[in-house]
Amino acid sequence: MSSSSIPRAGLILLGLLSLGWGFNWPIMKVVITEIPRWIFRGDSILLASVGLFGIAWFSGHSLRVPTGRWPQLLGMATCNIVGWNMFAIYGVSLLPSGRAAILGYTMPLWSAVLSAWFLNEPLTRRRLIGLALGMSGMALLIGAEFENLGRAPMGVILMLIAAIFWAGGLVIYKRNPLPMPITALTAWQALLGGIPIALAGHALETVEWGRISFWPLFGFWYNVFIGLLFCYWAWNKLVQMVPAAVSSLGSLIIPVVGVFSGMVFLGEAPRWQDFAALVLVLTSIATVLLPARPSA
Protein backbone atom coordinates (compact mmCIF):
# COMPACT_ATOMS: atom_id res chain seq x y z
CA MET A 1 0.00 0.00 0.00
CA SER A 2 1.47 3.36 -0.97
CA SER A 3 1.28 6.49 1.13
CA SER A 4 -1.18 7.97 -1.37
CA SER A 5 -3.63 5.13 -0.69
CA ILE A 6 -3.64 5.52 3.08
CA PRO A 7 -7.21 6.29 4.19
CA ARG A 8 -7.76 9.76 5.57
CA ALA A 9 -9.35 8.16 8.64
CA GLY A 10 -6.07 6.30 9.23
CA LEU A 11 -4.05 9.51 9.19
CA ILE A 12 -6.55 11.14 11.56
CA LEU A 13 -6.31 8.17 13.93
CA LEU A 14 -2.51 8.34 13.76
CA GLY A 15 -2.55 12.00 14.76
CA LEU A 16 -5.07 11.48 17.57
CA LEU A 17 -3.15 8.47 18.88
CA SER A 18 0.14 10.38 18.96
CA LEU A 19 -1.48 13.27 20.82
CA GLY A 20 -3.45 11.02 23.18
CA TRP A 21 -0.45 8.98 24.34
CA GLY A 22 2.01 11.87 24.11
CA PHE A 23 -0.03 14.20 26.35
CA ASN A 24 -0.54 11.36 28.83
CA TRP A 25 3.06 11.54 30.11
CA PRO A 26 2.72 14.92 31.88
CA ILE A 27 -0.89 14.08 32.79
CA MET A 28 0.24 11.00 34.73
CA LYS A 29 2.62 13.16 36.78
CA VAL A 30 -0.32 15.39 37.72
CA VAL A 31 -2.54 12.44 38.68
CA ILE A 32 -0.05 10.84 41.08
CA THR A 33 0.27 14.06 43.09
CA GLU A 34 -3.07 13.16 44.73
CA ILE A 35 -4.05 9.62 43.68
CA PRO A 36 -1.81 6.75 44.87
CA ARG A 37 0.03 5.00 42.05
CA TRP A 38 -1.36 1.47 42.42
CA ILE A 39 -4.96 2.60 42.84
CA PHE A 40 -4.59 4.99 39.89
CA ARG A 41 -3.28 2.36 37.50
CA GLY A 42 -5.39 -0.55 38.76
CA ASP A 43 -8.73 1.26 38.76
CA SER A 44 -8.15 3.04 35.43
CA ILE A 45 -7.07 -0.20 33.69
CA LEU A 46 -10.07 -2.14 35.02
CA LEU A 47 -12.50 0.58 33.94
CA ALA A 48 -10.87 0.71 30.50
CA SER A 49 -11.13 -3.09 30.19
CA VAL A 50 -14.91 -2.81 30.61
CA GLY A 51 -15.00 -0.37 27.71
CA LEU A 52 -12.75 -2.57 25.56
CA PHE A 53 -14.97 -5.59 26.19
CA GLY A 54 -17.94 -3.45 25.18
CA ILE A 55 -16.25 -2.38 21.93
CA ALA A 56 -15.36 -5.99 21.13
CA TRP A 57 -18.88 -7.20 21.87
CA PHE A 58 -20.63 -4.45 19.85
CA SER A 59 -18.21 -5.13 16.98
CA GLY A 60 -19.34 -8.74 16.93
CA HIS A 61 -15.93 -10.11 17.95
CA SER A 62 -15.70 -13.39 19.83
CA LEU A 63 -14.50 -12.98 23.41
CA ARG A 64 -13.57 -16.65 23.82
CA VAL A 65 -9.96 -17.46 24.67
CA PRO A 66 -8.75 -20.47 22.62
CA THR A 67 -8.30 -23.70 24.57
CA GLY A 68 -4.86 -24.08 26.12
CA ARG A 69 -3.84 -20.45 25.51
CA TRP A 70 -4.57 -19.02 28.97
CA PRO A 71 -0.91 -19.30 30.13
CA GLN A 72 0.24 -17.27 27.13
CA LEU A 73 -2.48 -14.68 27.73
CA LEU A 74 -1.47 -14.41 31.39
CA GLY A 75 2.16 -13.95 30.36
CA MET A 76 1.22 -11.13 27.99
CA ALA A 77 -0.93 -9.46 30.66
CA THR A 78 1.92 -9.73 33.17
CA CYS A 79 4.34 -8.02 30.79
CA ASN A 80 2.13 -5.55 28.89
CA ILE A 81 -0.11 -4.47 31.77
CA VAL A 82 1.47 -5.21 35.16
CA GLY A 83 5.18 -4.88 34.33
CA TRP A 84 4.89 -1.96 31.93
CA ASN A 85 2.39 0.10 33.92
CA MET A 86 3.85 -0.32 37.40
CA PHE A 87 7.50 0.29 36.50
CA ALA A 88 6.50 3.17 34.20
CA ILE A 89 4.37 4.93 36.82
CA TYR A 90 7.23 4.82 39.34
CA GLY A 91 9.70 5.87 36.65
CA VAL A 92 7.65 8.89 35.60
CA SER A 93 7.34 9.95 39.25
CA LEU A 94 11.16 10.21 39.46
CA LEU A 95 11.84 11.81 36.06
CA PRO A 96 10.67 14.74 33.96
CA SER A 97 7.75 13.41 31.92
CA GLY A 98 9.51 14.02 28.61
CA ARG A 99 12.58 12.06 29.68
CA ALA A 100 10.35 9.18 30.84
CA ALA A 101 8.57 9.18 27.46
CA ILE A 102 11.85 8.93 25.56
CA LEU A 103 12.97 5.95 27.65
CA GLY A 104 9.59 4.22 27.52
CA TYR A 105 9.60 4.23 23.74
CA THR A 106 12.92 2.41 23.53
CA MET A 107 10.68 -0.68 23.52
CA PRO A 108 11.40 -1.57 19.85
CA LEU A 109 15.13 -1.77 20.63
CA TRP A 110 14.57 -4.28 23.43
CA SER A 111 12.10 -6.14 21.25
CA ALA A 112 14.83 -6.56 18.62
CA VAL A 113 17.21 -7.99 21.25
CA LEU A 114 14.61 -10.34 22.77
CA SER A 115 13.44 -11.47 19.33
CA ALA A 116 16.99 -12.41 18.40
CA TRP A 117 17.29 -14.36 21.66
CA PHE A 118 13.92 -16.12 21.84
CA LEU A 119 12.65 -16.08 18.24
CA ASN A 120 15.97 -16.54 16.43
CA GLU A 121 15.40 -13.37 14.43
CA PRO A 122 18.74 -12.13 13.05
CA LEU A 123 20.40 -9.02 14.46
CA THR A 124 21.02 -7.38 11.11
CA ARG A 125 23.47 -4.54 10.57
CA ARG A 126 20.61 -2.03 10.65
CA ARG A 127 19.39 -3.39 13.97
CA LEU A 128 22.88 -3.28 15.45
CA ILE A 129 23.26 0.34 14.32
CA GLY A 130 19.86 1.13 15.83
CA LEU A 131 20.83 -0.50 19.12
CA ALA A 132 24.09 1.47 19.24
CA LEU A 133 22.25 4.76 18.64
CA GLY A 134 19.62 3.91 21.26
CA MET A 135 22.20 2.93 23.86
CA SER A 136 24.00 6.23 23.22
CA GLY A 137 20.78 8.12 23.91
CA MET A 138 20.19 6.15 27.11
CA ALA A 139 23.77 6.82 28.23
CA LEU A 140 23.18 10.56 27.82
CA LEU A 141 20.08 10.44 30.04
CA ILE A 142 21.79 8.29 32.68
CA GLY A 143 24.68 10.76 32.76
CA ALA A 144 22.24 13.66 33.10
CA GLU A 145 20.66 11.97 36.13
CA PHE A 146 24.07 11.50 37.78
CA GLU A 147 24.79 15.20 37.22
CA ASN A 148 21.51 16.16 38.86
CA LEU A 149 22.63 16.46 42.48
CA GLY A 150 24.65 13.27 42.05
CA ARG A 151 21.60 11.03 42.55
CA ALA A 152 21.47 7.50 41.22
CA PRO A 153 19.49 7.22 37.97
CA MET A 154 16.73 5.09 39.53
CA GLY A 155 14.01 6.67 37.39
CA VAL A 156 15.97 5.80 34.23
CA ILE A 157 16.41 2.21 35.40
CA LEU A 158 12.70 1.82 36.19
CA MET A 159 11.66 3.19 32.79
CA LEU A 160 14.07 0.86 30.99
CA ILE A 161 12.67 -2.12 32.94
CA ALA A 162 9.16 -1.00 31.93
CA ALA A 163 10.20 -0.86 28.26
CA ILE A 164 11.75 -4.33 28.51
CA PHE A 165 8.51 -5.73 29.98
CA TRP A 166 6.54 -4.16 27.10
CA ALA A 167 8.95 -5.70 24.61
CA GLY A 168 8.66 -9.05 26.39
CA GLY A 169 4.90 -9.03 25.97
CA LEU A 170 5.31 -8.42 22.25
CA VAL A 171 7.76 -11.33 21.92
CA ILE A 172 5.41 -13.66 23.84
CA TYR A 173 2.71 -12.79 21.31
CA LYS A 174 4.99 -13.07 18.24
CA ARG A 175 6.29 -16.46 19.31
CA ASN A 176 2.84 -18.01 18.80
CA PRO A 177 0.18 -15.39 17.91
CA LEU A 178 -3.14 -15.91 19.65
CA PRO A 179 -5.92 -16.61 17.12
CA MET A 180 -8.42 -14.08 18.47
CA PRO A 181 -9.50 -10.52 17.63
CA ILE A 182 -7.00 -7.90 18.79
CA THR A 183 -9.62 -5.82 20.64
CA ALA A 184 -10.79 -8.86 22.62
CA LEU A 185 -7.17 -9.84 23.27
CA THR A 186 -6.41 -6.35 24.60
CA ALA A 187 -9.54 -6.38 26.78
CA TRP A 188 -8.56 -9.69 28.37
CA GLN A 189 -5.03 -8.45 29.02
CA ALA A 190 -6.35 -5.29 30.67
CA LEU A 191 -8.74 -7.28 32.86
CA LEU A 192 -6.20 -9.93 33.91
CA GLY A 193 -3.47 -7.38 34.53
CA GLY A 194 -5.69 -4.76 36.14
CA ILE A 195 -7.19 -7.08 38.78
CA PRO A 196 -3.96 -7.74 40.76
CA ILE A 197 -2.87 -4.09 40.49
CA ALA A 198 -6.23 -2.85 41.77
CA LEU A 199 -6.40 -5.43 44.58
CA ALA A 200 -2.87 -4.60 45.73
CA GLY A 201 -3.60 -0.89 45.45
CA HIS A 202 -6.71 -0.97 47.64
CA ALA A 203 -4.97 -3.27 50.13
CA LEU A 204 -1.86 -1.09 50.46
CA GLU A 205 -3.13 2.42 49.72
CA THR A 206 -6.11 4.61 50.51
CA VAL A 207 -7.73 7.45 48.63
CA GLU A 208 -10.59 9.83 49.37
CA TRP A 209 -12.08 10.43 45.96
CA GLY A 210 -14.19 13.31 47.23
CA ARG A 211 -11.06 15.25 48.21
CA ILE A 212 -9.28 14.89 44.86
CA SER A 213 -8.92 18.24 43.11
CA PHE A 214 -10.02 18.87 39.53
CA TRP A 215 -6.87 18.29 37.49
CA PRO A 216 -5.74 14.99 39.06
CA LEU A 217 -9.33 13.71 38.76
CA PHE A 218 -9.48 14.92 35.16
CA GLY A 219 -6.20 13.11 34.50
CA PHE A 220 -7.58 9.88 35.97
CA TRP A 221 -10.58 9.90 33.64
CA TYR A 222 -8.37 11.00 30.75
CA ASN A 223 -6.39 7.81 31.32
CA VAL A 224 -9.53 5.69 31.39
CA PHE A 225 -11.18 7.07 28.24
CA ILE A 226 -8.25 8.45 26.20
CA GLY A 227 -4.94 6.96 27.36
CA LEU A 228 -6.24 3.41 27.69
CA LEU A 229 -9.62 2.79 26.06
CA PHE A 230 -9.46 5.06 22.99
CA CYS A 231 -5.74 4.83 22.31
CA TYR A 232 -5.65 1.04 22.56
CA TRP A 233 -8.67 0.82 20.26
CA ALA A 234 -7.14 3.37 17.85
CA TRP A 235 -3.84 1.51 17.75
CA ASN A 236 -5.60 -1.79 16.96
CA LYS A 237 -7.68 -0.09 14.27
CA LEU A 238 -4.62 1.65 12.85
CA VAL A 239 -2.74 -1.61 12.45
CA GLN A 240 -5.58 -2.82 10.19
CA MET A 241 -5.81 0.40 8.15
CA VAL A 242 -2.28 1.60 7.33
CA PRO A 243 1.06 0.06 6.36
CA ALA A 244 3.35 -1.13 9.14
CA ALA A 245 5.88 1.61 8.31
CA VAL A 246 3.26 4.31 8.92
CA SER A 247 2.15 2.91 12.29
CA SER A 248 5.83 2.55 13.24
CA LEU A 249 6.46 6.20 12.40
CA GLY A 250 3.44 7.05 14.55
CA SER A 251 5.19 5.57 17.57
CA LEU A 252 8.10 7.97 16.94
CA ILE A 253 5.85 11.00 17.30
CA ILE A 254 4.65 10.07 20.80
CA PRO A 255 7.86 10.81 22.79
CA VAL A 256 8.22 14.09 20.87
CA VAL A 257 4.74 15.11 22.03
CA GLY A 258 5.67 13.88 25.53
CA VAL A 259 8.75 16.12 25.69
CA PHE A 260 7.05 19.28 24.46
CA SER A 261 3.79 18.76 26.37
CA GLY A 262 5.86 18.46 29.54
CA MET A 263 7.41 21.82 28.71
CA VAL A 264 4.01 23.43 28.10
CA PHE A 265 1.90 21.94 30.92
CA LEU A 266 4.48 21.31 33.66
CA GLY A 267 7.06 23.96 32.89
CA GLU A 268 9.77 21.34 32.44
CA ALA A 269 12.98 22.66 30.95
CA PRO A 270 14.70 19.90 29.00
CA ARG A 271 18.48 20.09 28.89
CA TRP A 272 20.65 19.56 25.83
CA GLN A 273 21.05 15.89 26.83
CA ASP A 274 17.28 15.39 26.56
CA PHE A 275 17.08 16.79 23.04
CA ALA A 276 20.19 14.91 21.92
CA ALA A 277 18.85 11.67 23.42
CA LEU A 278 15.48 12.27 21.74
CA VAL A 279 17.15 12.54 18.32
CA LEU A 280 19.31 9.47 18.95
CA VAL A 281 16.43 7.32 20.21
CA LEU A 282 14.06 8.35 17.41
CA THR A 283 16.75 7.63 14.81
CA SER A 284 17.49 4.29 16.41
CA ILE A 285 13.82 3.24 16.50
CA ALA A 286 13.37 4.28 12.86
CA THR A 287 16.42 2.21 11.96
CA VAL A 288 15.01 -0.85 13.72
CA LEU A 289 11.36 -0.53 12.70
CA LEU A 290 11.21 0.81 9.16
CA PRO A 291 11.55 -1.72 6.38
CA ALA A 292 14.71 -1.78 4.33
CA ARG A 293 14.55 -0.31 0.83
CA PRO A 294 14.02 -3.16 -1.65
CA SER A 295 16.97 -3.86 -3.91
CA ALA A 296 16.71 -2.96 -7.57
Side-chain angles (χ1 to χ4, degrees), residues 67-206:
T67 303
R69 306 302 289 271
W70 281 100
Q72 183 184 7
L73 183 58
L74 286 169
M76 293 172 62
T78 300
C79 290
N80 291 333
I81 304 300
V82 180
W84 161 255
N85 278 282
M86 295 319 301
F87 281 101
I89 200 64
Y90 278 98
V92 78
S93 69
L94 298 173
L95 291 170
S97 61
R99 189 171 296 179
I102 296 170
L103 292 165
Y105 281 87
T106 60
M107 181 277 286
L109 307 181
W110 304 113
S111 177
V113 172
L114 294 176
S115 295
W117 191 358
F118 292 106
L119 305 179
N120 296 318
E121 292 185 2
L123 274 177
T124 61
R125 184 175 66 177
R126 281 184 52 171
R127 288 188 171 188
L128 289 172
I129 293 172
L131 287 170
L133 291 169
M135 295 297 178
S136 300
M138 290 178 237
L140 276 176
L141 296 183
I142 291 172
E145 286 296 293
F146 273 121
E147 290 178 13
N148 189 4
L149 302 179
R151 73 185 181 196
M154 185 55 65
V156 173
I157 294 170
L158 292 173
M159 282 308 310
L160 291 180
I161 294 173
I164 292 170
F165 266 108
W166 186 9
L170 178 62
V171 170
I172 291 173
Y173 177 76
K174 287 170 62 179
R175 191 169 189 174
N176 188 13
L178 274 159
M180 57 187 301
I182 292 294
T183 304
L185 176 62
T186 306
W188 276 113
Q189 287 184 75
L191 179 65
L192 296 173
I195 287 174
I197 298 175
L199 289 176
H202 287 280
L204 300 172
E205 302 169 336
T206 58

Side-chain angles (χ1 to χ4, degrees), residues 219-237:
F220 175 86
W221 289 109
Y222 178 96
N223 268 265
V224 172
F225 290 107
I226 305 298
L228 292 166
L229 199 160
F230 171 76
C231 286
Y232 272 116
W233 172 85
W235 175 257
N236 296 329
K237 190 70 174 176

